[in-house]
Structure formats: C-alpha cells, structure tokens
Amino acid sequence: MTEPDLLLTAIVPTPLKETYQALTDPAALRVWLAEHAEVDLPGRYEFWGRYTPDGAEPHQRVLHVDERTIRFAWTVDGVEATVQFELADDEDGTLVTLTHSDLPSFEEVIADQAGARGALQTFWSLAIANLADYLAGRELTPMVDFTSGELRASVVIDAAPEEVFDSMIQPEVFRKWFGAKVDIEPRLGGRFAMGGFELDPGGAKFVEFEPGRKAALLFADGETTSWELEGSGGKTRLTMWHSGFDPDNPPYAAWGGWLGGIAGLRRYHELPGRHSIWRRTEIAGVPEGMLTIDQ
C-alpha cells in the first residue's frame, strides 16, 4: 500500500474478535457505517446508500483479508483509492487503524473543490467514532445524508445546557473534544478560527450568542453554523444546523467534521476521564499543530 493521505488510530472498548465482527457483519455495518452493506469475505465487502459519499451503488473491491486486516479498493467520483482497517490487541480493547490513500489535497477540500472525495476524511472520522459507540452500546451520532441539502442534526447530551455551551466556546476545552486547535472570542461579535487566529486572522464571527442557549457563527463565505440548546432533567438537547450554502453543492465535508465533533462532545461530557478514542490522527497537507490528540 502506498503512503496514505489519511491515518486514523482509535481505541474501541471490545476484544479484537468482537471488533472484527462489527467490521464484517453486514447487519452491524448497516448500523454504524452505511445505509446498505453486503459482505461475503474473502470476495465481497460492499457498502453504499445515502450515508456514503458517491453512494448510489457500491464501488468497493476486496484486496486482502485476514483475521486482523481488511483492505479494499474504493472508487469515489471515478478515482480509485486503497482503504485498510488493521486491528491490534490493546489493554483497553482493540486498536483500530484506518488508512486511506489518494485523497484530494487539504487545500482542495477547504476550497470545496473536491466533490464527494472531499468528504472522505470526515466520513471516516465520524464512522470510527460511531463504531466505538456501537461497540460500547451507546447511542450513535447522526450520519451525513449525502442525498439531502438539509444539514441539521439533534442529539441529547447527559449534561446541563450551561456546561455543554461552555465547552463549546472555551478554546482549551473545545480542543479536547473536537481534536483540533481553535481560537475563540466567546462573545457576540467575537471571532472563531479553526486552526487558530494565526492561520485565519479574521475568523468566523459570532452573530448570535446567548450563553447556555444558542449561538451562530457567520463565515467569510456567507455560510452560517448555528447551535441551540434546550435543557430537561439535567440533560441537554443540542440541535446544530448549517445554512447559507449553494443548495446544489452542500458543504458535506465541513458538516461531517461538525458531526464527528459532536460525537466527541458527547463523550467528553458522558465519559469523563475516558472521553477521547483517538490515539493518532494524520491528514496530508493539514498545517502542523492544527490537529490535536488529548488523552
């Protein structure tokens, strides 16, 4: 396999054999990975549907399988890449390493010029987060619907609204659950910059900001990410949505990043001390220091 453009390593809370089963059982795959899945190894490993980039039909081809490895070719938007799951025993469960080759550049993804392939990095981050929660018996985070122009999701978090809101606007806490450096000025009109103000001096701006209740970020391209919190019984229903984009070209990559972040936010509040599943994250072309791993 050539040097991958994406490498994700995470810990999931089950023994290797049970983890491998979740990766190869089509019924399990239909819960945490894709709308449709069919598996008959060593010859067939397919998934497709509305939660899969370029997912109108399956585009996978098995390259190698053994008791710890699944490697397959996956063609998205006419470009074939190599994807590999590799499992290793770990004292806390199983170490899952995902690699994906031949991805578009970071600059193409940021400029929204990569089509369906631009969403693959965030697709896998969210998928592995949902794999970990599936194996732990936890409720999953909503997936990206690549057939819909409505970018909206709602989850319930076992923490009070004030606590959840505070963790979303304090940069040192945000880094812990999102896995990326961010600078935030937590006030109406304040700046928000993924990667820090040195990479994005202008940043997005808070155009709504009501502590404990709601906030909205306006980006330079005119798009807006909003969140609203509603408390009940010591828990919080967090609803997040993205708007202001070309309806014929939804920013699925960015939306998948937010949903993957929500998975981390839920873990941060509900599994204190063990919230992070990530051991290693590498994306080719991402500025040094932007991605973080917080154990």
Side-chain angles (χ1 to χ4, degrees):
M1 183 175 176
T2 60
E3 189 71 20
D5 293 320
L6 174 68
L7 184 150
L8 301 171
T9 301
I11 188 72
V12 299
T14 48
L16 192 149
K17 184 176 181 180
E18 187 175 341
T19 303
Y20 188 87
Q21 178 74 8
L23 289 170
T24 56
D25 176 10
L29 291 171
R30 292 178 203 127
V31 176
W32 67 266
L33 179 64
E35 182 181 18
H36 306 295
E38 294 296 338
V39 179
D40 186 12
L41 295 175
R44 187 182 188 190
Y45 190 85
E46 296 178 337
F47 54 91
W48 70 100
R50 57 185 174 144
Y51 304 130
T52 303
D54 190 22
E57 57 187 40
H59 297 290
Q60 297 83 24
R61 177 171 56 87
V62 176
L63 300 176
H64 171 79
V65 291
D66 58 37
E67 67 276 4
R68 292 173 177 260
T69 308
I70 304 165
R71 184 163 64 249
F72 57 92
W74 183 11
T75 300
V76 178
D77 277 354
V79 177
E80 184 175 86
T82 300
V83 180
Q84 178 171 289
F85 281 105
E86 187 173 7
L87 307 182
D89 292 308
D90 187 274
E91 62 181 2
D92 294 322
T94 301
L95 199 65
V96 179
T97 299
L98 180 283
T99 54
H100 194 131
S101 71
D102 300 290
L103 292 173
S105 69
F106 179 71
E107 289 76 15
E108 288 177 298
V109 174
I110 292 298
D112 201 18
Q113 297 173 346
R117 294 172 63 237
L120 290 168
Q121 291 99 327
T122 55
F123 166 80
W124 282 122
S125 294
L126 176 58
I128 293 176
N130 272 338
L131 170 65
D133 282 337
Y134 170 80
L135 289 168
R138 289 168 45 81
E139 186 173 346
L140 304 192
T141 299
M143 304 177 194
V144 177
D145 184 344
F146 291 95
T147 68
S148 174
E150 183 180 17
L151 307 185
R152 187 181 187 93
S154 183
V155 298
V156 175
I157 301 174
D158 191 7
E162 295 77 15
E163 296 175 25
V164 176
F165 188 91
D166 190 64
S167 66
M168 298 177 75
I169 53 88
Q170 298 298 332
E172 68 280 3
V173 181
F174 189 102
R175 175 181 59 84
K176 292 181 179 181
W177 59 263
F178 197 88
K181 181 181 178 181
V182 64
D183 283 339
I184 303 173
E185 296 172 342
R187 56 178 171 78
L188 186 64
R191 295 176 297 166
F192 176 104
M194 199 73 72
F197 292 143
E198 66 272 19
L199 290 180
D200 185 10
K205 297 291 195 303
F206 281 108
V207 292
E208 287 188 73
F209 194 90
E210 295 185 31
R213 292 193 63 247
K214 61 182 178 180
L217 288 165
L218 176 64
F219 294 85
D221 58 7
E223 297 179 12
T224 303
T225 296
S226 306
W227 63 79
E228 191 171 79
L229 300 87
E230 181 180 358
S232 177
K235 298 185 179 183
T236 299
R237 177 169 292 280
L238 169 66
T239 301
M240 181 174 284
W241 64 96
H242 196 86
S243 59
F245 53 85
D246 177 357
D248 295 326
N249 187 31
Y252 292 128
W255 183 236
W258 279 112
L259 292 178
I262 287 175
L265 178 65
R266 292 175 53 235
R267 295 181 67 86
Y268 176 81
H269 286 284
E270 297 174 355
L271 299 173
R274 299 190 63 184
H275 61 271
S276 179
I277 65 170
W278 303 108
R279 295 287 180 86
R280 186 178 177 191
T281 300
E282 295 181 9
I283 302 175
V286 172
E288 186 176 356
M290 183 173 178
L291 299 176
T292 66
I293 298 295
D294 189 275
Q295 292 292 337

